[in-house]
Amino acid sequence: MNYKATLYSEQFTDGKVSVELQLFHGDLLIARHDSGSVEFDLKNAKLVAGGFDNNMLYIYPDHNVTSPAILVQDLSLLKEISASSNEIVRQKAMQATGIQKKKKFNKIAGIILIIVFFSGLMSIAFTQSAGIIVKLIPVKWDEKIGELGYPSAIASMAPGSTKIEDKYVLQSIEEIKNRLSVSLKNTPFKYNITVLKSPVENAFALPGGKIVIFTGILLKVDSPEELAGILAHEIMHVEKRHAMKQIVSRMGLSVLFQVIVGDMADAGSVILEVGSELLSLGYSRNMETEADKEGIILLSNAGIPADGMIQFFKKMSENEKELKSMSWLLTHPLSEKRADELAKIYKKYPPLNVKKFSTNWKILKSHLK
Amino acid sequence: MKHTIKHNPSYALLDVELSPGESIQAEAGVMVYMSDDIHINSILGGGFLAAVLRKILGGESMFFNVFTAKEKPVNVGFAPDLAGDIFKLNVSDTPVVIQKGSYLCSETAVSLKTRFGGLKSFFSSEGVFLLEAGGSGSLYLSSYGGIVEVNVDGEYILDTGHMVAFEKTLDFTVSKTGGWKSTIFSGEGLTMRFKGHGKLWIQTRVPRGFISWLMRFLPS
């Protein structure tokens, strides 16, 4: 078989000439050009994979990598050499193939590293600036994302769960909610609570103010104050727009992309579309701490003792088995440090004008069964 | 298509004379002057995604401008941002890989694609993206300072930042100058080690050298 190649040698005016290559007996390479030919004995030759894309083969007559040299772009020559009957030649071909593969691998690894590096930089940049960006997003979008996210959140946590319509339960929870929301000054959000019948021991808030409580967690709670603590924490996630910040920081790139392409309306629709899926990602540690602190301040303003909430945490963490089954605690991990911090904040913000709730929790529980 | 390079090597300006129907494509923003009878069309450089990546990561323009003469011969002038030389290169069999800032303009028969330079390109301070010119035709590159053509025969070592373009038959790795001591104290830092055979074009000055000289005079 003939291969097109380039012969580099000082004897030519341009330093190189086009040649036709042919392999004889598996170890003798002959390069023919217009004014003669050159022979390379492959037993003494050096084979090197090269070129910017690593898809070329350099052949040198000995260990010296300066000219004369033959450059072949058709790598099927390397395959033909690998089939040589001479052991030394065969090994040289195999080595060159190995180097070529390794270099290709390095290239891919490099690409991945750079992508990781840049996406890391981007995500740091967006986490830092997410708060600023979120301020520019209208509150209406929170509600929209909450609405869009609701069905998928329910479907993933408690499929087929039904709404609780019991008046005593709903009124009791409404009372807690009202006490809390009256204490929220200038909130742009309207809170509405849905209670769903499901063994899932969880409660969560969607951006915009929709709060979902499963009966599973209501059965674990022993007083209205404990539930108020959980709700205060969830409400603060909404008030501080944590979900929106998460969405912005994680989606930063694609939003940026939309802005560059120039269609802001599109950026909005991307946020809405992907945003609802991203709700399940959870909050960062800092966000949890912020919701803890702000939650206790809210309880204090509402005249609800926060030790109910701390008590609930302690009660749950003492029973390790229960801790594992309790999904609200899984997403809100309780360490001793966190409990201490909660207690410290509580000391700083004791409840103002404590008022008891009218609910008898035992009666409420009986209504759930 | 006729061309003249004026005021080189320091403040080079490329003047291109286009016959009716002839076109030339250029990096956005390098046009200095042009005749009235010219049609300009903006195209995405190196494909859509590559153009977006160029914009985001490389800080370059997403577009190339194509200048076409309509009914009579016209002149267009191009110049890069920095002081330096402009040179013409004929692309034929071997594609040429170009450092991002050095591309000025080219005939439309020259195909351009943005390609990932990999980690080595990133560390050699040539940017993550490189431009690859294939096809056949004239390609005009600019340099900071003067331009030197080198025939690499086996191996060649170049300080980072000096690379303008090289033939694709060459490959390079980034390595330290000598031992760690000389890498840190010799002021030479990292170098590019070219391997293979082919042409390499280098610039005699590096923008970062000028910038660090300038920094000394800026109030902090």
Side-chain angles (χ1 to χ4, degrees), chain A residues 1 32 38 48-49 62 139 196 209 235 262 270 303 352 357 365:
Chain A
M1 207 178 143
R32 291 191 184 84
V38 183
V48 187
D62 50 44
V139 177
L196 293 177
I235 284 174
V270 166
L352 312 162
F357 288 103
K365 274 187 177 176

Side-chain angles (χ1 to χ4, degrees), chain B residues 129-148:
Chain B
F129 291 93
L130 298 167
L131 205 59
E132 184 179 319
S136 66
S138 305
L139 170 69
Y140 299 90
L141 302 181
S142 67
S143 62
Y144 182 53
I147 187 93
V148 180

Side-chain angles (χ1 to χ4, degrees), chain B residues 52-72:
Chain B
V52 173
L53 288 173
R54 261 159 58 86
K55 172 85 183 174
I56 299 174
L57 300 178
E60 294 166 78
S61 168
M62 275 172 72
F63 295 95
F64 287 118
N65 291 327
V66 180
F67 299 82
T68 309
K70 288 188 204 161
E71 274 137 31
K72 51 184 190 212

Side-chain angles (χ1 to χ4, degrees), chain A residues 111-361:
Chain A
I111 290 172
I112 293 170
L113 255 174
I114 287 177
I115 291 173
V116 168
F117 178 76
F118 273 108
S119 44
L121 271 188
M122 287 279 179
S123 78
I124 290 171
F126 278 104
T127 313
Q128 295 302 320
S129 54
I132 302 162
I133 296 169
V134 164
K135 279 189 188 140
L136 303 172
I137 298 175
V139 177
K140 278 252 175 274
W141 287 22
D142 292 43
E143 289 164 22
K144 194 97 194 149
I145 287 178
E147 275 169 40
L148 285 168
Y150 178 75
S152 60
I154 300 300
S156 68
M157 271 190 254
S161 51
T162 52
K163 270 188 193 175
I164 293 280
E165 306 282 359
D166 186 279
K167 275 217 171 111
Y168 188 80
V169 175
L170 292 187
Q171 271 170 7
S172 306
I173 291 172
E174 200 65 14
E175 188 195 353
I176 300 173
K177 187 202 87 178
N178 287 341
R179 282 271 295 278
L180 290 171
S181 54
V182 163
S183 306
L184 285 170
K185 280 153 206 137
N186 306 323
T187 176
F189 302 104
K190 261 193 178 158
Y191 291 92
N192 78 72
I193 298 182
T194 309
V195 185
L196 293 177
K197 190 167 178 64
S198 161
V200 175
E201 293 164 351
N202 207 347
F204 65 92
L206 290 160
K210 197 166 183 57
I211 295 174
V212 177
I213 306 173
F214 295 110
T215 48
I217 200 168
L218 287 180
L219 291 168
K220 288 281 171 220
V221 168
D222 287 321
S223 71
E225 283 76 16
E226 289 182 16
L227 183 65
I230 295 171
L231 288 181
H233 177 95
E234 290 301 328
I235 284 174
M236 284 338 285
H237 277 313
V238 177
E239 288 292 316
K240 297 287 163 191
R241 304 177 83 183
H242 286 159
M244 297 302 283
K245 283 178 191 164
Q246 286 292 79
I247 289 168
V248 169
S249 63
R250 306 229 181 179
M251 292 187 44
L253 254 181
S254 54
V255 175
L256 180 75
F257 172 82
Q258 298 286 347
V259 173
I260 287 169
V261 175
D263 196 346
M264 267 313 278
D266 257 14
S269 66
V270 166
I271 290 189
L272 290 183
E273 233 174 80
V274 192
S276 54
E277 288 170 30
L278 289 176
L279 281 179
S280 55
L281 287 172
Y283 301 113
S284 74
R285 196 60 225 246
N286 283 343
M287 290 176 173
E288 291 299 343
T289 311
E290 192 183 16
D292 277 352
K293 189 185 166 192
E294 298 290 329
I296 286 179
I297 296 174
L298 176 63
L299 289 171
S300 152
N301 290 336
I304 304 166
D307 48 359
M309 179 192 192
I310 298 167
Q311 208 53 43
F312 176 73
F313 267 136
K314 281 196 174 147
K315 188 170 68 191
M316 287 301 136
S317 61
E318 272 161 19
N319 191 340
E320 221 180 307
K321 223 177 176 184
E322 251 179 309
L323 180 69
K324 270 183 190 153
S325 67
M326 182 93 190
S327 50
W328 196 76
L329 282 179
L330 280 181
T331 47
H332 299 77
L334 178 81
S335 64
E336 261 182 52
K337 201 180 154 203
R338 189 174 174 192
D340 287 350
E341 268 163 22
L342 277 172
K344 235 183 256 168
I345 301 165
Y346 178 48
K347 223 179 217 173
K348 232 174 163 183
Y349 300 95
L352 312 162
N353 316 316
V354 178
K355 268 193 282 175
K356 281 265 174 204
F357 288 103
S358 58
T359 309
N360 183 325
W361 205 259

Side-chain angles (χ1 to χ4, degrees), chain B residues 60-120:
Chain B
E60 294 166 78
S61 168
M62 275 172 72
F63 295 95
F64 287 118
N65 291 327
V66 180
F67 299 82
T68 309
K70 288 188 204 161
E71 274 137 31
K72 51 184 190 212
V74 292
N75 286 70
V76 204
F78 298 111
D81 288 338
L82 289 170
D85 206 352
I86 295 172
F87 70 108
K88 181 187 168 217
L89 214 149
N90 283 319
V91 184
S92 56
D93 305 333
T94 316
V96 174
V97 180
I98 307 157
Q99 179 247 112
K100 60 185 168 85
S102 293
Y103 172 79
L104 189 65
C105 59
S106 58
E107 285 183 326
T108 42
V110 174
S111 65
L112 293 171
K113 68 177 182 207
T114 303
R115 48 169 301 164
F116 218 67
L119 213 53
K120 57 186 176 186

Side-chain angles (χ1 to χ4, degrees), chain A residues 52-53 58 60 65 67 111, chain B residues 115-116 153-154 168-170 197:
Chain A
F52 192 59
D53 285 326
Y58 279 105
Y60 300 97
V65 290
S67 55
I111 290 172
Chain B
R115 48 169 301 164
F116 218 67
D153 184 25
K168 241 181 114 183
T169 53
L170 292 172
H197 300 257

